[in-house]
Amino acid sequence: MTGKREDYISWDEYFMGVAKLSGMRSKDPNTQVGACIVSADNKILSMGYNGFPTGCSDDEFPWDREGDDPLKTKYFYSTHSELNAILNYRGGSLEGAKIYVSLFPCNECAKAIIQSGIKEVIYDCDKYADTPAVLASKRMLAAAGVQIRRYIRTDRKVEIRL
């Protein structure tokens, strides 16, 4: 008699893996962020990554982070992964869902997360923790009762050959 496999990945590993894989679709040369929205019963509802809106060419809009003219930087044009995942969802309400994201959400994404009804944020990296955008995000998420938890890395290596 044989038993089940014991080395399968956890739900957290699975969904954070999907978020990180989604981030690999980003054309941003500096920062690739992915998000995966999951229902309370562990079904993937939507995914997103940072990039330009549909119809805005990756070759015609700027990817620069800095410059004298803000219209020649990416910030007025790019959409963050969390907002893309929320906007990509076509199934109705996200009430009670959770979102896995490779980078802690900014204040603008926090607003969208709260308004969409997502109740938990699981994040991997918090490298902008001391910035006003993330401090405001954490304040709003806490006030709205959205649970926040850091993804606990397992250092499991997963290789996919395509």
Side-chain angles (χ1 to χ4, degrees):
M1 181 174 156
T2 61
K4 69 179 183 183
R5 272 182 57 224
E6 298 294 332
D7 62 342
Y8 56 90
I9 62 175
S10 69
W11 286 119
D12 274 0
E13 288 173 310
Y14 178 57
F15 298 131
M16 188 58 74
V18 170
K20 288 184 174 200
L21 190 62
S22 294
M24 293 175 75
R25 284 281 310 142
S26 175
K27 286 33 163 236
D28 191 316
N30 298 300
T31 305
Q32 301 83 41
V33 182
C36 179
I37 301 175
V38 179
S39 68
D41 61 345
N42 292 320
K43 304 289 187 286
I44 294 175
L45 301 175
S46 187
M47 294 165 284
Y49 54 89
N50 58 311
F52 299 135
T54 303
C56 297
S57 171
D58 297 324
D59 297 320
E60 294 177 23
F61 283 83
W63 286 110
D64 295 331
R65 293 174 74 156
E66 297 174 14
D68 294 335
D69 182 354
L71 291 175
K72 293 184 179 175
T73 68
K74 66 182 178 178
Y75 297 107
F76 282 120
Y77 310 107
S78 63
T79 305
H80 289 179
S81 66
E82 304 93 320
L83 184 58
N84 262 333
I86 290 166
L87 295 172
N88 287 340
Y89 184 57
R90 299 288 187 259
S93 176
L94 291 172
E95 190 70 39
K98 53 191 170 186
I99 187 166
Y100 287 79
V101 64
S102 56
L103 182 63
F104 197 93
C106 72
N107 61 309
E108 293 298 322
C109 289
K111 294 174 197 176
I113 288 167
I114 293 164
Q115 289 300 101
S116 71
I118 292 171
K119 293 299 182 198
E120 186 176 10
V121 173
I122 303 95
Y123 67 94
D124 183 38
C125 178
D126 194 10
K127 70 179 178 178
Y128 300 111
D130 296 326
T131 64
V134 171
L135 293 170
S137 173
K138 289 176 180 175
R139 182 177 178 187
M140 286 187 289
L141 292 167
V146 176
Q147 298 295 312
I148 302 168
R149 71 179 164 92
R150 184 169 210 143
Y151 171 71
I152 299 170
R153 290 185 178 190
T154 61
D155 288 328
R156 181 193 303 261
K157 183 178 180 179
V158 178
E159 184 177 343
I160 301 171
R161 294 183 188 266
L162 301 173

